[in-house]
Amino acid sequence: HWLLLSVAGAVIVARALRPLQQVVFNPDCILTDDEVNVRLQIIRPAKVDLLNVTINLQVFVTGGRVHQLSLTNGIEGYGAWFGYAPMNIRHKIDANSPLRDDYPGGKQDIYFIRVSLSATDSNGNPVNAFATYYHPDSFFMGMSDFRAAWAQRGIMPPRILRGVRWKDQMRRIRDRSTGKGTEGAGLPTWLVNVDNTEGFEPVPGDSPV
């Protein structure tokens, strides 16, 4: 009896101490002619900040090869990230990128893009998260069992989308009577449209989806 109570108590404590999920990645990522863009948000931004954020972005191509995708401006993370605005993780496709058009196994031979994040939340708990995004023409997406496994969960596999960009989430507070934007005299100055986190729109002249 006492043994069962001790085990039950240990299970309850372990579940209570289990770290909560603190971030969520968008269900799709974007690949344009100019960049890779992965977006994520803090789930409870009013209560949690992220500290010592480290980000790793990689692409897996035909032949099982893996290429590291450097982040824009050469950064590897952030000292801190907080608030309602999304984090945009970007890789610029330039002359040094493995996704440039003349690179063997470039953007036309992608299997998937994978991103991971490690951080500490403002309560001192570890935060670890990752997402994998599959190219629509990869052999994974052509496997019926693969698609069926995601269908059983009621969601689509995370996709790499071409020829689109994220919708803008930020807009200035406007005077309802005049429609003019504020001059920053007081707070808040900006609104964040959370519904636009996953929204995207076509990029004129870019490669098609």
Side-chain angles (χ1 to χ4, degrees):
H1 175 70
W2 289 108
L3 178 59
L4 292 176
L5 287 177
S6 298
V7 172
V11 170
I12 293 173
V13 170
R15 289 182 176 177
L17 295 178
R18 182 184 300 170
L20 295 173
Q21 180 182 350
Q22 302 291 21
V23 299
V24 58
F25 287 95
N26 273 22
D28 299 308
C29 85
I30 284 174
L31 171 62
T32 70
D33 292 338
D34 300 320
E35 69 172 5
V36 174
N37 191 325
V38 180
R39 180 175 273 189
L40 67 86
Q41 281 193 299
I42 300 174
I43 295 177
R44 290 170 288 275
K47 298 181 179 180
V48 173
D49 300 332
L50 299 183
L51 309 174
N52 301 318
V53 181
T54 301
I55 300 165
N56 189 23
L57 187 64
Q58 295 179 325
V59 60
F60 292 68
V61 300
T62 54
R65 290 170 294 174
V66 183
H67 298 294
Q68 194 71 30
L69 298 180
S70 59
L71 303 187
T72 301
N73 299 325
I75 65 172
E76 297 180 355
Y78 299 93
W81 189 268
F82 51 87
Y84 290 84
M87 177 190 296
N88 288 294
I89 301 170
R90 301 176 186 270
H91 165 75
K92 184 178 181 180
I93 301 176
D94 55 19
N96 298 315
S97 172
L99 296 180
R100 66 184 188 270
D101 289 332
D102 63 342
Y103 190 89
K107 67 178 67 174
Q108 303 304 326
D109 296 315
I110 295 175
Y111 283 163
F112 55 84
I113 290 173
R114 178 169 289 162
V115 59
S116 65
L117 176 144
S118 298
T120 302
D121 69 20
S122 47
N123 297 313
N125 298 314
V127 178
N128 294 289
F130 78 95
T132 303
Y133 300 97
Y134 299 91
H135 195 285
D137 297 330
S138 69
F139 81 93
F140 289 104
M141 297 291 269
M143 298 170 58
S144 58
D145 291 345
F146 179 82
R147 298 195 306 272
W150 285 93
Q152 288 178 356
R153 299 168 59 182
I155 55 178
M156 294 181 62
R159 303 166 299 173
I160 299 172
L161 302 180
R162 295 294 310 274
V164 297
R165 62 190 173 199
W166 299 123
K167 287 186 176 180
D168 191 5
Q169 280 194 297
M170 309 292 291
R171 66 178 179 87
R172 294 185 68 86
I173 300 286
R174 296 184 179 277
D175 187 303
R176 291 184 178 180
S177 60
T178 65
K180 294 182 179 181
T182 63
E183 299 300 326
L187 295 176
T189 306
W190 297 86
L191 286 178
V192 179
N193 184 353
V194 179
D195 290 336
N196 270 358
T197 303
E198 302 172 7
F200 52 84
E201 58 192 9
V203 177
D206 200 89
S207 299
V209 177

